[in-house]
Amino acid sequence: MSLNKFKKFPERFLWGGSVAANQFEGAYMEDGKGLSTADYSPKGIIGGYHEIKHGEHLTHEGIDFYHRYKEDIALLGEMGFKCFRTSIAWTRIFPNGDEETPNEAGLRFYDDVFDELAKYGIEPLITLSHYEMPMGLVNKYGGWRNRKLVDLFEKYSRIVFERYKDKVKLWITFNEINSIIHFPFTGGGIFMKDGENELQVQYQGAHHQFVASALAVKACHEIIPDAKIGCMIASGSYYPYTCRPEDVISALEYDRKILFFSDVQSWGEYPSYMNRYFEENGIEIEILPKDEELLKEHTVDFIGFSYYKSRCSSAFPEGLETSPGNLFGGVKNPYLNSSEWGYQIDPKGLRYTMNVLYDRYHKPLFIVENGLGANDILEERDIINDEYRIKYLNDHIVQAGEGIADGVELMGYLSWGPIDIVSAGTAEVRKRYGYIYVDRHDDGSGTFRRIKKKSFEWYKEVIYTNGASLKR
Ligand code: BG6
């Protein structure tokens, strides 16, 4: 299919948006909810663990979705959303993570949310673990460094699959599962001990998550045979900074640090290239005899990924400028512009990344996060003219279309934070991604009022025309 002929996205393409429980629900101690790792990260993922100061953490109130979900879902319905991704807060279901029985009030809240989505024909895509886990499991077991978490996660997964089997047919196990090697507290509830081999702990924790994920896939297929369950990685391919062979190898190695996580969950086995990495870094993964079989037999149905930017890699990075990213950055690409937060903007990198993933796995892909964080200005008469966001999203969705034209099977496109939420990285609200503005500010002030931005009507039209209204 030539570029110009690509006009329409597939029938039943899942247009929508994504959020995470801990970034928008608020009500962090209501109805029996326990405290999570996210509740202890008032400065965001980058700021790491801090003691709780009640009332001083923006995420504790979030945007108060917990009490305003009807109003918010009505707005998503008005935009014509086909799919809405959110996560279940593990701590609403098992407040400490290892109780005998689940918390009924927590289960009921998600019943209500899913019922509300159903009223508008919006399909939920639910992440089991999005950057939060019960703090009780961190204190008692040391988080994912401990094998015990595998059983507890399986139990939690089975409970929610049983409860929501008639309401939720799309699932993701772990959000950005590769985060554990960048932010072990957020990704795995892990505190490092003095003198230990951190990589060893991180990759062992990742192994436990792989096994837990495989068990969740198994349970999902048993309990909800018509469901699809995927993995989720923080993606964004690496380009070699130059065509020097050393830079090309460097990009290959950096890419593999990401792809390792989808390789294991999609191929069902550890890729051989990791043997060398493990050996050179003194890593020995404890793998139980049944693990290999579990990984092999319960691979994911689709590959979910976030894409905010591509990255560059050089074998000789000294003196080169770097650019940040949502979890990890890279060497700055001289051919790209940057967002206010320094993320480099590369729509074509999305098409490239889609092709890399599809060539590798031959499984459906799902773009479950993409978007532009910007400091929107609320003008008089409630006008928010976010043309820059429209351009960013338009250009990325057009490239997603090009990826489809290349032959990639793409289930849907979900932009990040369709309603403004608290940022995961830095816990700011002024870094806004939404089509809907929320009157809340970094100093904690604001009325929580929801206001439509210019991009609201734009995205509504994109969905209504199934992509035909995009500017190519
Ligand atoms: C992804 C996370 O890494 O990026 C989200 O899955 C996060 O939770 C998103 O919010 C955007 O990053 P940030 O730091 O701008 O919120």
Side-chain angles (χ1 to χ4, degrees):
M1 195 185 287
S2 81
L3 297 190
N4 296 333
K5 283 203 187 123
F6 184 81
K7 291 272 187 272
K8 284 233 168 183
F9 283 75
E11 291 298 314
R12 289 199 289 278
F13 189 72
L14 292 170
W15 296 102
S18 280
V19 293
N22 75 82
Q23 292 173 250
F24 89 135
E25 283 179 1
Y28 79 115
M29 296 224 297
E30 260 176 70
D31 293 334
K33 181 186 168 296
L35 292 171
S36 75
T37 46
D39 296 326
Y40 282 88
S41 304
K43 295 181 180 157
I45 298 173
I46 294 165
Y49 173 89
H50 282 264
E51 276 307 319
I52 289 217
K53 286 195 185 150
H54 298 281
E56 287 187 18
H57 301 199
L58 285 179
T59 53
H60 290 179
E61 275 184 290
I63 57 157
D64 196 31
F65 176 80
Y66 195 81
H67 302 109
R68 296 166 198 250
Y69 66 91
K70 289 194 179 174
E71 180 193 345
D72 289 343
I73 291 172
L75 286 165
L76 305 180
E78 191 183 330
M79 267 190 284
F81 269 38
K82 310 285 181 219
C83 183
F84 180 57
R85 171 180 174 236
T86 184
S87 58
I88 293 178
W90 190 347
T91 47
R92 289 202 192 281
I93 314 301
F94 288 104
N96 285 307
D98 61 354
E99 288 85 351
E100 275 299 306
T101 50
N103 171 31
E104 178 56 30
L107 287 166
R108 207 173 319 117
F109 168 65
Y110 293 107
D111 263 324
D112 294 346
V113 169
F114 302 150
D115 289 345
E116 201 63 23
L117 288 168
K119 283 189 197 163
Y120 298 89
I122 302 175
E123 180 150 18
L125 165 61
I126 299 303
T127 311
L128 291 168
S129 176
H130 190 131
Y131 287 166
E132 65 186 316
M133 58 183 289
M135 201 60 199
L137 299 182
V138 175
N139 296 331
K140 198 158 165 188
Y141 303 106
W144 281 97
R145 66 163 70 229
N146 192 322
R147 175 97 198 183
K148 175 79 181 162
L149 273 273
V150 173
D151 303 335
L152 295 169
F153 186 80
E154 187 194 1
K155 179 173 173 184
Y156 154 64
S157 308
R158 283 187 176 270
I159 292 283
V160 298
F161 292 150
E162 281 292 350
R163 177 78 174 215
Y164 307 121
K165 62 185 171 207
D166 297 325
K167 300 181 181 180
V168 181
K169 306 290 181 182
L170 290 172
W171 296 88
I172 280 173
T173 54
F174 290 90
N175 179 64
E176 297 188 334
I177 188 166
N178 46 326
S179 62
I180 196 166
I181 59 166
H182 301 280
F183 295 98
F185 177 66
T186 296
I190 294 174
F191 288 119
M192 290 300 166
K193 297 176 187 156
D194 283 348
E196 69 184 343
N197 178 349
E198 297 193 359
L199 285 174
Q200 164 71 36
V201 178
Q202 286 161 352
Y203 279 97
Q204 186 65 55
H207 178 72
H208 294 151
Q209 293 187 339
F210 291 148
V211 176
S213 177
L215 284 164
V217 170
K218 178 172 185 282
C220 182
H221 288 156
E222 279 167 18
I223 298 168
I224 327 175
D226 56 340
K228 286 196 176 9
I229 182 160
C231 63
M232 182 343 192
I233 52 166
S235 79
S237 293
Y238 278 91
Y239 304 147
Y241 184 64
T242 72
C243 52
R244 272 175 91 159
E246 291 87 346
D247 284 356
V248 176
I249 296 288
S250 168
L252 174 77
E253 287 176 349
Y254 271 101
D255 262 340
R256 282 175 163 176
K257 280 193 188 147
I258 301 175
L259 295 170
F260 161 66
F261 288 84
S262 36
D263 286 353
V264 174
Q265 293 184 92
S266 182
W267 294 339
E269 61 187 29
Y270 275 58
S272 57
Y273 60 78
M274 284 310 270
N275 294 342
R276 176 175 187 170
Y277 181 78
F278 287 160
E279 209 175 298
E280 289 178 354
N281 290 285
I283 300 166
E284 278 180 46
I285 311 284
E286 192 188 339
I287 299 180
L288 300 189
K290 61 173 184 184
D291 291 356
E292 286 177 7
E293 199 181 306
L294 278 173
L295 294 179
K296 196 73 201 169
E297 284 183 4
H298 306 291
T299 56
V300 291
D301 300 320
F302 65 88
I303 313 294
F305 65 99
S306 60
Y307 177 87
Y308 291 90
K309 57 170 294 194
S310 58
R311 301 169 170 88
C312 281
S313 161
S314 165
F316 308 98
E318 300 78 25
L320 294 177
E321 248 189 282
T322 56
S323 92
N326 54 322
L327 275 185
F328 45 97
V331 173
K332 192 166 181 184
N333 184 332
Y335 300 100
L336 301 175
N337 295 323
S338 300
S339 77
E340 279 173 82
W341 271 262
Y343 295 14
Q344 292 203 282
I345 299 173
D346 182 13
K348 291 194 173 72
L350 175 58
R351 173 183 177 186
Y352 180 74
T353 300
M354 284 169 66
N355 276 279
V356 168
L357 294 173
Y358 195 69
D359 286 355
R360 204 168 173 107
Y361 304 121
H362 295 281
K363 286 191 181 182
L365 305 184
F366 204 153
I367 300 170
V368 298
E369 287 186 31
N370 169 242
L372 178 74
N375 190 5
D376 299 323
I377 307 296
L378 176 61
E379 297 171 28
E380 271 179 42
R381 288 178 289 116
D382 282 352
I383 290 171
I384 299 142
N385 193 355
D386 57 343
E387 283 289 348
Y388 37 87
R389 178 167 298 107
I390 293 173
K391 174 157 180 41
Y392 177 101
L393 294 171
N394 181 87
D395 295 354
H396 281 78
I397 300 172
V398 164
Q399 290 304 317
E402 294 303 329
I404 294 172
D406 291 334
V408 171
E409 195 182 338
L410 186 65
M411 294 167 67
Y413 172 88
L414 307 181
S415 65
W416 181 249
I419 179 163
D420 293 343
I421 57 176
V422 182
S423 110
T426 48
E428 295 162 290
V429 188
R430 71 187 183 100
K431 189 182 189 189
R432 299 170 183 272
Y433 288 84
Y435 309 108
I436 302 158
Y437 183 94
V438 177
D439 180 34
R440 182 143 210 240
H441 307 282
D442 288 347
D443 61 4
S445 65
T447 60
F448 291 92
R449 192 161 66 91
R450 277 52 170 159
I451 304 159
K452 294 175 193 171
K453 303 181 194 174
K454 187 168 187 186
S455 56
F456 184 97
E457 291 300 330
W458 171 83
Y459 196 44
K460 183 176 170 183
E461 184 71 7
V462 171
I463 297 175
Y464 183 72
T465 61
N466 200 21
S469 64
L470 293 162
K471 286 206 173 54
R472 296 182 163 84

